[in-house]
Amino acid sequence: MEYIIALDQGTTSSRALLVNEKGEVCGVTQEEYPQICPREGWVEHNPLDIWNSQLHVAQKLIKDMGILPSSIKGLGITNQRETTIIWNKHTGIPIYNGIVWQCRRTSDQCQRYKEQGYEKMIRQKTGLVIDAYFSATKIQWILDHVEGARESAEKGDLLFGTVDTWLIWKLTGGEVHATDYTNASRTLLFNIHTLEWDEELLELFHIPKSMLPKAYPSSYPYGKVKKEYLGSEILIAGIAGDQQAALFGQLCFEKGMIKNTYGTGCFLLMNTGQEAVDSKHGLLTTIAWGMKDQVVYALEGSIFMAGATIQWLRDELGIIQTAGETEALALSVRDHGGVYMVPAFQGLGTPYWDMYARAGILGMSRNTKKAHIVRAALESIGYQVKDVIGVMEKDSGIISRELRVDGGAARNQFLLQFQSDLLNIPVLRPHNIEITALGVAYLAGLAIKMWKDPKELETLWTVEKTFIPSMEEEKSRQLYQGWKEAINRVLSKNRIIVDNQ
Ligand code: ADP
């Protein structure tokens, strides 16, 4: 048997997974590593913690599985996106901690760029909005705050990388400084149309071009891992940011196909084919993957509060003990009893963009029971997903025919049935839930010809359960109408309207 090893470098843990020729995950190892929060709203990772934990889980996996390292034919990396690492190219030592995607320290700087009117130009080139999430202002912050950094960068002594780039560089013993198009497309520096680092943006953010990695397709021979690390010179052959890897892992290869990951929040991506669709409703335009000479684009929408609403019921309200019990509770009542929960705990994202809205539970009567509130919380996840898919369809002009799902809260059958009823399309849950790691294993396996073409992958990927719409359309329309009314009651007066010029 031959294998692919997938490294899944996430925000809280590093994982390694072994995937065989049949596309089965046959082993997983995982290690958490420290979160560093020096101030309110700041989040950092030590790049050496990332490297050491990632190397350790990969070595442990090979040892635990008792396989010959030479039977691993390819390596794939999928990673937390946007997180920014800068190191000295001669010593290999990072000059500062990695600034994590969640870190808000450059929000004011982003606000200044917005006030100076750069939003439209940046959106046209990168598909993104100006936000502290993305790498550009994080690089700028490090160059401006670490003593001597700017001079070193100007001299060409420093290298920048997102987490994939840092791991490639470490694994190849400093020989390869590279990234893939999906990770590059989250930096705010990459022109997603020309597939090049953009000179005008580099100038705007004061970033020397010499720091940037070379960008390649996601399925590509990047370089070989030094033998001392994993016992064999395994070819790094697949790279993709986590959400894009999940879209690939769900085999959303055709235009209009959508995947949703139901985790703490939700991440939805729609394949828009060779067209980079410009959103009028605050969705991001991003690169889904690059393969051979072709680039596929996606629209991306995110929801802040999905599984996190269930955590809130458990930890703050204390009306449930475990997330798992919400399914039976929701089914213990005939319907929502008129109750809607709008989980605007941190404002509302796509498509409302109201940072000042706050959450509400609406429509309660003396007969309202705990189960109604729990049901309303689960239903709020379904409504938000419908909101996002609605604007994806508007922006792209494509009507979705099915939804493919993964993530922790996709275990909840009530939620997925409700989702299918609301969208009036089938919801498909695959057998293998390690979708992100599988996605990058597929990308690596295609590059080394373990699998001939994406078509062959369709024989490996199986659906565990399909949820078919079973609600009358009129009822589902009325429920959604009620949600829109509930939303209107929590929106603030300071609502930001995103309907781009
Ligand atoms: P993340 O990767 O964002 O940490 P996961 O994909 O591990 O998230 O999913 C965890 C989230 O899913 C938690 O917020 C939890 O509340 C929610 N969750 C887990 N199981 C269920 C369930 N059976 N029903 C509803 N929500 C669930």
Side-chain angles (χ1 to χ4, degrees):
M1 195 54 112
E2 294 187 340
Y3 302 93
I4 303 282
I5 187 167
L7 308 185
D8 180 2
Q9 209 302 310
T11 309
T12 55
S13 72
S14 294
R15 309 169 75 229
L17 297 94
L18 201 65
V19 178
N20 67 18
E21 291 160 52
K22 294 190 221 153
E24 296 161 341
V25 175
C26 30
V28 186
T29 49
Q30 175 163 356
E31 206 173 277
E32 289 198 6
Y33 64 93
Q35 306 294 310
I36 303 163
C37 304
R39 286 192 207 173
E40 172 82 28
W42 289 31
V43 192
E44 300 177 359
H45 290 154
N46 181 337
L48 295 175
D49 287 340
I50 289 182
W51 162 242
N52 289 326
S53 59
Q54 196 60 73
L55 180 64
H56 184 232
V57 289
Q59 290 171 335
K60 186 168 183 306
L61 179 68
I62 297 171
K63 191 158 159 253
D64 289 356
M65 298 301 295
I67 55 161
L68 285 175
S70 57
S71 64
I72 305 176
K73 299 299 178 194
L75 181 144
I77 302 174
T78 179
N79 55 288
Q80 53 167 317
R81 304 176 298 176
E82 298 119 14
T83 296
T84 297
I85 301 175
I86 298 179
W87 64 97
N88 181 301
K89 79 172 175 194
H90 308 293
T91 64
I93 299 175
I95 62 161
Y96 190 78
N97 274 336
I99 302 185
V100 178
W101 58 273
Q102 297 154 320
C103 186
R104 304 307 300 165
R105 82 183 64 188
T106 57
S107 296
D108 290 348
Q109 178 68 346
C110 289
Q111 192 53 37
R112 281 192 283 278
Y113 280 121
K114 279 189 202 164
E115 281 159 14
Q116 289 163 19
Y118 288 111
E119 215 153 11
K120 197 167 175 192
M121 179 268 279
I122 288 184
R123 181 163 195 111
Q124 270 164 1
K125 289 179 185 237
T126 67
L128 306 175
V129 294
I130 302 176
D131 193 277
Y133 277 131
F134 307 111
S135 313
T137 56
K138 298 182 196 287
I139 303 175
Q140 191 179 28
W141 191 95
I142 295 177
L143 295 183
D144 288 340
H145 289 81
V146 175
E147 211 186 316
R150 191 159 284 288
E151 296 78 70
S152 303
E154 306 285 355
K155 273 200 284 168
D157 290 338
L158 300 185
L159 300 179
F160 152 76
T162 38
V163 169
D164 55 310
T165 304
W166 168 241
L167 290 176
I168 299 169
W169 196 83
K170 292 297 281 181
L171 287 165
T172 59
E175 276 174 24
V176 180
H177 184 226
T179 189
D180 91 301
Y181 295 153
T182 70
N183 277 291
S185 74
R186 316 298 294 190
T187 57
L188 220 54
L189 299 170
F190 196 67
N191 187 314
I192 60 171
H193 311 284
T194 62
L195 306 179
E196 281 166 353
W197 301 111
D198 191 278
E199 303 281 353
E200 193 181 355
L201 295 177
L202 291 173
E203 205 166 297
L204 181 67
F205 293 107
H206 307 292
I207 296 170
K209 197 173 182 183
S210 60
M211 298 179 71
L212 300 176
K214 273 207 148 76
Y216 295 106
S218 321
S219 185
Y220 182 83
Y222 279 82
K224 288 182 177 161
V225 177
K226 284 269 167 258
K227 192 167 177 203
E228 69 208 69
Y229 291 134
L230 301 177
S232 172
E233 288 190 332
I234 304 168
L235 185 67
I236 303 173
I239 308 283
D242 51 10
Q243 297 310 321
Q244 283 93 336
L247 187 70
F248 201 82
Q250 289 280 22
L251 308 193
C252 291
F253 298 154
E254 277 165 38
K255 200 168 157 174
M257 291 181 82
I258 308 182
K259 75 91 194 173
N260 181 30
T261 303
Y262 294 87
T264 308
C266 281
F267 278 100
L268 286 115
L269 266 76
M270 176 194 253
N271 177 332
T272 60
Q274 263 101 71
E275 190 192 350
V277 173
D278 184 24
S279 174
K280 300 219 173 334
H281 302 91
L283 298 167
L284 303 176
T285 309
T286 200
I287 295 180
W289 54 78
M291 242 200 290
K292 299 203 177 115
D293 301 330
Q294 220 177 49
V295 165
V296 170
Y297 293 91
L299 279 173
E300 176 171 323
S302 49
I303 293 163
F304 307 143
M305 296 288 296
T309 309
I310 307 304
Q311 287 168 336
W312 178 79
L313 293 180
R314 186 193 60 195
D315 302 339
E316 309 305 326
L317 220 51
I319 61 171
I320 54 166
Q321 256 80 54
T322 63
E325 75 193 64
T326 55
E327 182 171 335
L329 267 168
L331 289 166
S332 73
V333 284
R334 206 155 43 94
D335 57 24
H336 66 138
V339 181
Y340 285 92
M341 181 184 294
V342 184
F345 295 91
Q346 312 161 52
L348 287 168
T350 318
Y352 309 102
W353 294 107
D354 184 349
M355 293 310 119
Y356 309 98
R358 284 298 171 265
I361 303 176
L362 304 149
M364 289 185 285
S365 71
R366 282 292 292 272
N367 291 328
T368 299
K369 300 185 176 25
K370 172 170 103 172
H372 291 115
I373 293 175
V374 168
R375 185 165 173 141
L378 286 171
E379 291 183 348
S380 77
I381 304 174
Y383 290 125
Q384 293 178 94
V385 168
K386 182 170 164 79
D387 286 340
V388 172
I389 293 183
V391 292
M392 282 178 161
E393 289 181 341
K394 263 197 200 151
D395 282 336
S396 67
I398 309 170
I399 302 298
S400 47
R401 282 177 303 178
E402 62 176 39
L403 174 69
R404 299 189 171 195
V405 301
D406 54 88
R411 277 187 222 120
N412 194 305
Q413 318 235 40
F414 166 80
L415 170 60
L416 298 191
Q417 184 57 52
F418 182 70
Q419 191 72 78
S420 170
D421 290 343
L422 208 52
L423 294 170
N424 202 20
I425 55 172
V427 169
L428 277 63
R429 184 171 67 184
H431 253 123
N432 203 321
I433 52 163
E434 297 285 0
I435 286 299
T436 308
L438 267 187
V440 82
Y442 291 159
L443 286 165
L446 288 169
I448 62 158
K449 302 272 184 292
M450 180 176 268
W451 300 298
K452 205 165 67 255
D453 52 30
K455 267 254 159 292
E456 190 182 342
L457 299 173
E458 284 166 16
T459 61
L460 312 175
W461 191 92
T462 50
V463 175
E464 181 251 334
K465 190 158 177 154
T466 303
F467 298 82
I468 305 281
S470 65
M471 190 183 281
E472 276 172 35
E473 267 183 64
E474 180 52 25
K475 181 158 179 225
S476 128
R477 204 195 55 75
Q478 275 173 11
L479 284 172
Y480 190 56
Q481 183 57 33
W483 163 255
K484 290 284 189 188
E485 283 161 22
I487 286 273
N488 272 323
R489 287 163 69 182
V490 308
L491 288 176
S492 73
K493 291 199 189 69
N494 298 325
R495 180 178 175 205
I496 309 158
I497 310 279
V498 178
D499 221 329
N500 279 352
Q501 320 74 33

